[in-house]
Amino acid sequence: MKLGPATIERVIDIDPFELGLSFLFPGAQLEDLHPHAALLAPDHIDFDSANLLLAIQSFVLRVGGLTILIDSCVGESKQRDRRRDWHQRIGTGYLSALAAAGVTPDDVDIVLCTHLHADHVGWNTRLENGRWIPTFPRARYMIGQAELAAWQAEELRAPGVANHGAYVDSVLPVIEAGLVETVTDGFELTRGVAVLPLPGHSPGQIGLDLNYGESRHVLFCGDAIHSPTQVFKPEWTSAFCANPQEAVASRMGLLERAAQDGSLIAPSHIRNAIGFRVERCGCDFRPAYVCEAT
Ligand SMILES: [Zn+2]
């Protein structure tokens, strides 16, 4: 997808990634989505199984001479005892998919971790001779300052427990390699690409606000929105949100802004699209799908 001076591609790690609607969004009712079936099925929800259909993927954003990898998915060889489909994966084809997008590990200038959950940092590292080494040796790994501080405090409290142990195998090795740079709200990666605060799903989640011309924007929003179902039901909060109230506020802020200024919202787990625009529908919102530049 080409947008002004930027290009955006998706690199898939797992698709579909299926989670029960009421598992991810406790209290959510499938019936509430029936009126919106034409927009949500078959890509985003399976009404027969009541499963949400997500993708675990990276966005490759090329702009201003930089190759930016947004989120690094689940990865390979990771010990993830509590999730069989994430546990000790091999032969996933992720790096080949990245190569097919014209990107070698050495080409990546920035790895932007929207947050430090295990499905967003896995490919930060790979296993070589029994050691976790940075997959992208030339990259600066950018993590929100508040996000890193929160999970480091959690590691001190209960080492190796949170996020399936991802801190130890996927974050600490890139810190020790001297590749991590913490960033704060508004920081510009390059002209027109700024860090967007989206706390709630995790303590210091961040996104990216890409301004690709005049007042045109793409909002890479991590897990502030997991699924287009939440455009209809912004109050649905995931079972994994650190601060549900804050998560709803971040999501509402995104939707209101996008409905007003036409921003393209690009959630990390969106399937079969880069993202969607949002329209007002009475006092609610509805997604309008786009895959190509307008
Ligand atoms: Zn996620």
Side-chain angles (χ1 to χ4, degrees), residues 178-198:
L179 300 181
V180 167
E181 198 172 302
T182 56
V183 293
T184 50
D185 306 346
F187 173 80
E188 275 205 322
L189 282 64
T190 181
R191 197 160 154 263
V193 185
V195 169
L196 187 66
L198 294 167

Side-chain angles (χ1 to χ4, degrees), residues 56 86 115 117 119-120 201 222-223 226 268-269:
I56 299 181
W86 295 359
H115 61 297
H117 286 174
D119 56 323
H120 295 259
H201 175 62
D223 287 359
H226 284 84
S268 288
H269 296 301

